[in-house]
Amino acid sequence: MNTKNFILRLGLGMISTNAFSQIGVNTSNPHGAFHVDGAKDNSAAGNPSAAQQANDFVVTPEGNVGFGTISPSNRLDVNGIVRIRTVDQAPSSTSVSPVYIDPNGVIVKSPPPNNYGEITYRSASVASGAAATLITGLENGAFRVTVITGGQCGNMVTVEFFLHNYSLNNYFGLNGQNGFAISAISPGRPAFTQTIKTSVAVTWLGLAICADGGNSTANDFTLSMPSFGTINVTNNGNVSRTYRIVLTRLD
């Protein structure tokens, strides 16, 4: 027997086919269009046990793929721990939605029409006294909004708002909720000034002077909605600031 014939027979000995064109690797008892028994521990008849299936890989006639199960109920069905080594980062201009696990272990998104939990992130550098648009084209919904800014000395501030954005009857606006700054007068919360539903001014008392030239007003700003779906920020401080805004959909 020459080497080529030996290799061919060895390969055929490891692969089993039946009358229904099922292919089995390391098993003479395949349970799918393609079935690999990794540990070669399946029985020649009947269904393998749960422990035997743990090292199996199956592709069903419907195109479902199972790891650790011979009966995958979804396009990809993994009975075991899953590890993803590389995940691409979404561009900052992209809104991303969280995923959840239903009682059956299936990965799902929140149901339509609104993807609650969806997160949108933007940032903008704004000169003292100037204004910039942080968000445009925001869809209908209710959101929790977080704005973060601060100076080069680590004197960061975080401010939270509730925001409603509904085109029907022009029901859009925002309201300041809370905030925190380490260097502000205890308890380190901001003062909100709001005279109309679409604009909130944020000021801090006793904010420490920063090495970048920022005085006690450096982190003061106004967050506003000049129109449906648009969020602007105005820098009320004495130096330039970069504002980061994070929107989390609530409905």
Side-chain angles (χ1 to χ4, degrees), residues 35-39 41-43 47-56 68 70:
H35 183 176
V36 178
D37 177 13
D41 59 355
N42 291 1
S43 58
N47 292 330
S49 66
Q52 291 170 332
Q53 292 183 48
N55 57 70
D56 287 11
I70 62 171

Side-chain angles (χ1 to χ4, degrees), residues 141-197:
F143 301 84
R144 182 174 64 246
V145 179
T146 303
V147 176
I148 303 171
T149 189
Q152 298 176 6
C153 52
N155 188 19
M156 307 301 294
V157 301
T158 303
V159 188
E160 285 196 332
F161 306 80
F162 283 148
L163 182 147
H164 287 183
N165 187 58
Y166 298 100
S167 58
L168 182 63
N169 295 322
N170 280 329
Y171 281 163
F172 61 87
L174 69 164
N175 184 263
Q177 295 296 303
N178 211 334
F180 181 64
I182 289 290
S183 71
I185 294 176
S186 183
R189 297 192 181 101
F192 296 106
T193 302
Q194 182 165 15
T195 58
I196 56 175
K197 67 178 183 179

Side-chain angles (χ1 to χ4, degrees), residues 11-174:
L12 292 175
M14 296 175 62
I15 299 176
S16 172
T17 63
N18 60 28
F20 299 99
S21 299
Q22 292 177 314
I23 299 175
V25 178
N26 294 337
T27 177
S28 60
N29 182 29
H31 287 268
F34 183 65
H35 183 176
V36 178
D37 177 13
K40 305 181 185 180
D41 59 355
N42 291 1
S43 58
N47 292 330
S49 66
Q52 291 170 332
Q53 292 183 48
N55 57 70
D56 287 11
F57 168 82
V58 169
V59 179
T60 70
E62 297 77 22
N64 291 345
V65 176
F67 289 87
T69 176
I70 62 171
S71 304
S73 58
N74 294 83
R75 190 62 67 211
L76 178 63
D77 192 337
V78 180
N79 182 21
I81 298 173
V82 177
R83 178 178 181 181
I84 302 175
R85 292 181 179 269
T86 304
V87 177
D88 291 338
Q89 286 189 329
S92 61
S93 60
T94 302
S95 296
V96 295
S97 297
V99 295
Y100 305 91
I101 306 297
D102 75 5
N104 296 316
V106 177
I107 298 175
V108 296
K109 292 173 62 175
S110 58
N114 297 326
N115 293 324
Y116 54 81
E118 181 182 75
I119 296 175
T120 302
Y121 170 87
R122 302 285 192 279
S123 66
S125 294
V126 186
S128 172
T133 298
L134 291 171
I135 299 288
T136 58
L138 186 66
E139 297 180 351
N140 281 280
F143 301 84
R144 182 174 64 246
V145 179
T146 303
V147 176
I148 303 171
T149 189
Q152 298 176 6
C153 52
N155 188 19
M156 307 301 294
V157 301
T158 303
V159 188
E160 285 196 332
F161 306 80
F162 283 148
L163 182 147
H164 287 183
N165 187 58
Y166 298 100
S167 58
L168 182 63
N169 295 322
N170 280 329
Y171 281 163
F172 61 87
L174 69 164

Side-chain angles (χ1 to χ4, degrees), residues 222-237:
T222 297
L223 200 68
S224 61
M225 296 185 69
S227 60
F228 167 77
T230 300
I231 304 174
N232 288 354
V233 63
T234 300
N235 182 350
N236 299 328

